[in-house]
Amino acid sequence: MYIGTSINESPVIAAQAGQAITNGALLAVAMDADGVKVVSTAGGVAVGLLIPETDNVAAGDTVTVQVKDMGLWKVAAAVTAGDLLTPDATGKATKAAAGNFILAQALEAATAADQVIHVQIIKAGFASAGSNT
């Protein structure tokens, strides 16, 4: 018999790093049997974002991953508020194209690479042609 609630309302999880991560703050990560890894495929599926306090971690270390709600994400290039976002091959946010996994929506604009913006994590599946603003 299970007593209690099975709903975890926390916007973050603690997970094992499946690889060494350098300067990991605000990058998108994927999860596999080894743990979480910075997304390395443009448009790839991501579970969430490493929190701002993440710096350099060794494989096997515990990291905190934001998996829902509003957060911060470092961009790969300029984006506009309202854009649907996907990870690039380095875990940074970029405007989603057809076939990309949509992790978040931009809540503000960025004019250059490496700016940090507020996003709403939505995990909307895969973008279709014409689905982005």
Side-chain angles (χ1 to χ4, degrees), residues 29-121:
V29 290
M31 183 178 281
D32 66 16
D34 295 327
V36 294
K37 299 174 181 176
V38 174
V39 174
S40 61
T41 303
V45 175
V47 68
L49 303 170
L50 293 172
I51 63 169
E53 293 79 13
T54 308
D55 192 20
N56 301 324
V57 296
D61 285 355
T62 300
V63 294
T64 302
V65 180
Q66 184 175 358
V67 295
K68 67 176 193 166
D69 297 332
M70 289 184 288
L72 299 170
W73 197 359
K74 189 181 293 187
V75 300
V79 298
T80 302
D83 280 349
L84 299 176
L85 303 174
T86 191
D88 74 354
T90 65
K92 295 178 183 177
T94 190
K95 188 173 175 178
N100 293 157
F101 178 77
I102 299 167
L103 177 61
Q105 184 170 27
L107 298 177
E108 59 188 333
T111 58
D114 294 324
Q115 286 183 312
V116 175
I117 63 168
H118 286 90
V119 298
Q120 174 67 45
I121 297 173

